Amino acid sequence: MARERSEEDQVEEAVQPESLTDEHTPEPEPAGAEIEEPSADEQHQAEEALHAEADSAEALHAQIVGLQEQLVIEKDMALRAQAEAQNARRRAQQDVDKARKFAVEKLLQDLVPVVDNLERALSSIDADDEANKAVIEGIELTHKSFVDTLGKFAVEVLDPAGEPFDPELHQAMTQVPNGEVEPNTVLEVFQKGYRLNGRLVRPAMVVVSKAP
């Protein structure tokens, strides 16, 4: 009988799980065990870490603010550069337009004396003499051709006889008392004026009336 029990005990020991017989199985901690608090050094390190994170956040915020301010400055500079470029293009276009409008101004200044000489020639020839008729017609045709050609280039002739005196367009050579017209009226034109596309090339030289 003792031998049989011994065999049964051996079978029970063989069937028993290893986990129950493992010598290294950790034992549960007692219910009343206390949790260790961090040391002063550990607390100091944790506080320094928090301060470092706060400083890093502030530095990042300051960097973002600086970048935003720089972006505003760059946008303003870009807008200014764009405006300056547009102004430069506008000025260049205006210069081109002016050059196109007033390209013949120098030529006009050289041609105006020719027109003056033709008008003087007409005024000096005796129109009553039949022998001068052909000459007068030739000079008149030449004069008309000159004036018509100038008109094609937006040249305006200033012949202000009987008009009010305009100091921006007329140059008064003398004043003559006259009670038949209003004061500052152009009585006579010594020399006609010319204007090119609204720009005065030469003022009209005139005689102006004044009160008697």
Side-chain angles (χ1 to χ4, degrees):
M1 293 294 293
R3 184 177 179 180
E4 291 177 358
R5 290 194 196 95
S6 176
E7 291 178 354
E8 290 177 357
D9 293 339
Q10 292 177 359
V11 172
E12 290 178 359
E13 291 177 358
V15 174
Q16 188 175 6
E18 293 182 359
S19 60
L20 297 178
T21 59
D22 190 356
E23 295 180 356
H24 299 285
T25 301
E27 295 181 359
E29 294 182 358
E34 296 181 357
I35 299 175
E36 294 184 1
E37 295 184 357
S39 63
D41 292 339
E42 291 175 346
Q43 290 181 354
H44 182 66
Q45 292 177 357
E47 291 176 357
E48 288 184 349
L50 291 175
H51 287 307
E53 291 180 358
D55 293 341
S56 177
E58 291 179 359
L60 181 60
H61 177 71
Q63 185 177 5
I64 292 173
V65 172
L67 291 174
Q68 289 175 343
E69 293 176 353
Q70 185 65 27
L71 179 61
V72 172
I73 294 173
E74 294 294 336
K75 284 184 177 179
D76 183 67
M77 292 177 62
L79 291 175
R80 289 178 181 273
Q82 184 178 4
E84 290 179 359
Q86 291 177 352
N87 291 334
R89 286 195 296 269
R90 189 180 299 110
R91 287 193 297 269
Q93 185 62 40
Q94 290 175 351
D95 292 340
V96 171
D97 293 340
K98 288 181 180 179
R100 186 182 299 112
K101 281 184 177 181
F102 306 110
V104 297
E105 183 174 2
K106 177 61 177 175
L107 179 61
L108 176 61
Q109 292 174 350
D110 293 336
L111 289 178
V112 163
V114 178
V115 179
D116 293 338
N117 292 332
L118 291 173
E119 293 174 351
R120 293 191 188 98
L122 287 173
S123 62
S124 63
I125 297 177
D126 186 5
D128 296 332
D129 190 349
E130 290 294 331
N132 296 331
K133 185 176 180 179
V135 177
I136 293 174
E137 289 179 355
I139 296 175
E140 287 178 344
L141 289 175
T142 305
H143 177 268
K144 184 177 184 301
S145 177
F146 264 102
V147 175
D148 291 343
T149 301
L150 294 177
K152 293 179 181 179
F153 291 92
V155 177
E156 179 185 357
V157 181
L158 302 177
D159 188 8
E163 299 177 2
F165 174 75
D166 186 350
E168 294 184 358
L169 301 177
H170 311 147
Q171 181 178 350
M173 305 302 295
T174 183
Q175 283 186 306
V176 177
N178 192 317
E180 297 180 0
V181 296
E182 293 291 331
N184 292 325
T185 299
V186 176
L187 297 176
E188 184 181 354
V189 179
F190 282 155
Q191 191 178 68
K192 295 178 182 179
Y194 291 89
R195 188 162 54 178
L196 174 63
N197 284 312
R199 177 190 289 181
L200 185 65
V201 177
R202 191 184 74 179
M205 297 181 181
V206 298
V207 177
V208 183
S209 68
K210 66 178 180 178

